[in-house]
Amino acid sequence: MHIPSPASLAGKLHGNATPKPSQYGRVDESGTVFVRTTDGEREVGSYPGASHAEALGYFTRKYDDLLASADLLLQRVTHTDLPAREGSEGLAKLREQTSDARVVGDLAALDARVAEIAAAVEAKKVTENVERNAAREAGRLKREQLVLEAEKIAGQPEAKIQWKTSGTRMRALLDEWKALQRSGPKLDRESETALWQRFSSARNSFDKARRVYFAQLEDTQSEARSLKEQLVKEAEALALSKDWSSTATAFKRLMDRWREAGRTSRADDDALWARFKTAQDSFFNAKDEIVAAENEEFKANLVVKEALLAEAGSLVPVTDIEAAKTRLRVIQEKWEQAGKVPRPDVERLEKAMRRVEQAVRDKDEKRWASINPEAAARAQSLVDQLETAVEGLRKDLAKAEASGNAMKVADARSALEAREQWLTQARAGVQEFGG
């Protein structure tokens, strides 16, 4: 915000004309200048070597400068982010200057201005206090969030704790706490002490649990090794199964149990995994060989379905809906009778046939809509509404062009063009009903 100088502000507020000698002060025969107050006249000084008018003008200008300084301070207090403390300091200096000021002017107005500044400073103090309390509460809530998250981390079931991730997050929470202590709002001692004790307790609880966990890691790894040895035996027993579907599901469950078993030492884990994977690969390689053999048998079916798909594709675009529906039913019956095709081709063929079926279905629905009198009536009603709207918008555009307002013209033209496009589309819809 631009703050004018006291001198320029005085000129703007009071003009440059010299006040009438009889308004707020006078000069006696000896050249002494007096100011009129509510308690009577008070001597303010003299201006040797000057005329009475010049002497009075000198002290009047001093008043104007003082009032301008007050006005400037009032503007800074009420319209800038000047801290209340600096406003109070400025007010104190202004009061020193106005106390028994040797000036000629409306001293009551000056006192009122000082009182107004004092009230504004007090109001700013109240506002700053509210903002300070709000910031302190926000800081308390932020610390409360850190405490709650730390307590949540520390309160996790030990079997589900991700120690590395949780440990990293707990350290990050401590860093955030320290940052708030350095640069965040200060809390009252009681609140800060209580929150810190909770935060510290959560961290200590987590650290203790982590130490216990790693101290027991050897026992956990021994249990994991025994469990994985059992899983390997089960996998090796399934490796020769020919029940492809249920055995594949069983291997999936074994894999889930393997992941849940935990880790043993790296060497044991690698050795056990090699045995498990060998058994798994042995089963799935045999299964893949069977599937490959089946795919060879299905290739003949693929040739039949490719031909049926080509025949179905010739129906699109649909010109004679009844004939297309009849031919499509025959093709669909042959399609079901053709049997399975190689797995990699299933999705491609089915999607292509669905597209043809959908095209025939869409054409049939469109034909029905074209002979539906209710739909035709709705389409015509929409055209009628849009024609009325377009006519109104054309009048709006003419008015806008007559006004010469470019923005209104652009808005009116944009609205008209949009409605005209809608009208064209609506008319095309009516044409589909033979309208």
Side-chain angles (χ1 to χ4, degrees):
M1 177 179 177
H2 175 67
I3 304 299
S5 67
S8 63
L9 187 59
K12 292 179 180 178
L13 293 175
H14 309 291
N16 297 316
T18 301
K20 295 178 181 179
S22 61
Q23 188 174 6
Y24 297 113
R26 69 179 182 84
V27 183
D28 65 8
E29 295 79 2
S30 65
T32 301
V33 180
F34 296 85
V35 63
R36 294 185 176 89
T37 70
T38 56
D39 297 327
E41 290 187 336
R42 176 165 59 82
E43 180 181 336
V44 296
S46 61
Y47 194 165
S51 67
H52 288 186
E54 290 172 339
L56 188 61
Y58 169 73
F59 286 100
T60 299
R61 287 191 297 276
K62 290 182 65 179
Y63 170 83
D64 287 342
D65 287 342
L66 191 56
L67 181 61
S69 296
D71 286 332
L72 177 61
L73 179 58
L74 179 61
Q75 292 293 319
R76 294 183 65 203
V77 171
T78 57
H79 291 90
T80 72
D81 56 357
L82 181 75
R85 176 181 55 79
E86 295 184 22
S88 296
E89 293 173 355
L91 178 61
K93 293 179 181 179
L94 182 63
R95 281 173 169 162
E96 290 178 4
Q97 295 170 349
T98 57
S99 177
D100 295 327
R102 295 180 176 277
V103 297
V104 173
D106 188 350
L107 297 182
L110 182 59
D111 290 340
R113 196 63 45 85
V114 172
E116 189 176 355
I117 295 170
V121 169
E122 288 303 315
K124 176 155 285 192
K125 287 181 180 178
V126 171
T127 300
E128 288 183 354
N129 189 51
V130 170
E131 292 174 349
R132 191 179 302 110
N133 289 338
R136 185 179 292 114
E137 177 63 13
R140 188 193 68 77
L141 290 175
K142 178 59 179 176
R143 289 173 175 82
E144 177 78 18
Q145 291 174 355
L146 298 180
V147 170
L148 290 173
E149 187 174 353
E151 290 174 340
K152 182 178 180 181
I153 292 173
Q156 297 177 92
E158 290 187 12
K160 295 184 178 180
I161 295 179
Q162 298 292 326
W163 292 102
K164 182 177 180 180
T165 301
S166 297
T168 300
R169 182 54 187 159
M170 190 69 84
R171 288 190 294 273
L173 292 176
L174 179 60
D175 291 339
E176 291 183 41
W177 182 283
K178 291 178 179 179
L180 286 172
Q181 292 297 98
R182 289 193 302 270
S183 58
K186 303 301 180 184
L187 306 186
D188 61 275
R189 182 178 296 276
E190 182 179 357
S191 297
E192 185 160 346
T193 300
L195 288 170
W196 171 250
Q197 287 176 347
R198 288 174 58 191
F199 185 76
S200 181
S201 176
R203 291 180 60 243
N204 291 338
S205 175
F206 176 79
D207 289 342
K208 180 180 178 180
R210 182 171 56 181
R211 288 193 298 271
V212 171
Y213 169 80
F214 284 105
Q216 297 174 342
L217 184 60
E218 179 57 36
D219 291 339
T220 303
Q221 288 181 339
S222 177
E223 293 176 4
R225 182 168 52 252
S226 297
L227 180 55
K228 287 187 174 181
E229 286 173 348
Q230 178 60 35
L231 294 176
V232 168
K233 291 179 182 179
E234 293 182 32
E236 290 173 341
L238 291 173
L240 300 178
S241 173
K242 304 301 180 183
D243 187 353
W244 308 117
S245 179
S246 61
T247 305
T249 301
F251 265 109
K252 183 179 183 303
R253 288 197 294 267
L254 287 179
M255 276 299 303
D256 292 339
R257 291 166 59 192
W258 182 279
R259 296 188 187 97
E260 295 170 358
R263 293 187 62 83
T264 180
S265 67
R266 186 178 186 85
D268 288 342
D269 228 33
D270 290 346
L272 289 169
W273 173 248
R275 289 176 57 192
F276 184 92
K277 191 171 186 306
T278 297
Q280 182 177 249
D281 290 347
S282 175
F283 168 78
F284 281 103
N285 288 339
K287 179 176 179 293
D288 290 344
E289 290 177 3
I290 297 299
V291 171
E294 290 177 346
N295 284 342
E296 287 297 324
E297 296 177 8
F298 296 159
K299 284 183 179 180
N301 300 339
L302 175 62
V303 174
V304 174
K305 284 198 171 183
E306 291 280 14
L308 291 171
L309 182 59
E311 183 180 353
S314 67
L315 301 177
V316 181
V318 180
T319 55
D320 185 340
I321 183 59
E322 290 302 331
K325 289 167 61 177
T326 300
R327 287 183 62 194
L328 182 59
R329 280 193 294 270
V330 174
I331 293 172
Q332 289 171 328
E333 291 175 1
K334 293 180 179 179
W335 184 274
E336 293 300 325
Q337 295 169 2
K340 296 181 180 180
V341 298
R343 187 182 300 273
D345 297 293
V346 172
E347 184 177 2
R348 174 180 64 84
L349 292 174
E350 291 297 329
K351 282 185 176 181
M353 180 58 75
R354 297 292 86 78
R355 284 195 294 269
V356 174
E357 292 171 345
Q358 187 62 47
V360 174
R361 190 180 301 113
D362 290 345
K363 184 67 175 181
D364 195 31
E365 291 175 354
K366 187 174 182 181
R367 181 193 59 164
W368 164 246
S370 68
I371 61 175
N372 186 341
E374 293 182 1
R378 288 195 296 270
Q380 184 59 50
S381 176
L382 178 60
V383 169
D384 294 341
Q385 293 175 19
L386 288 173
E387 286 177 343
T388 300
V390 166
E391 183 62 27
L393 289 172
R394 286 172 178 164
K395 293 178 181 179
D396 291 344
L397 177 57
K399 291 178 181 179
E401 290 174 340
S403 70
N405 188 317
M407 183 175 294
K408 289 184 178 180
V409 170
D411 291 343
R413 180 173 289 111
S414 177
L416 176 60
E417 290 174 352
R419 294 304 189 286
E420 286 178 338
Q421 290 178 2
W422 296 353
L423 178 57
T424 299
Q425 295 171 0
R427 285 172 174 167
V430 171
Q431 291 297 321
E432 292 181 1
F433 293 103

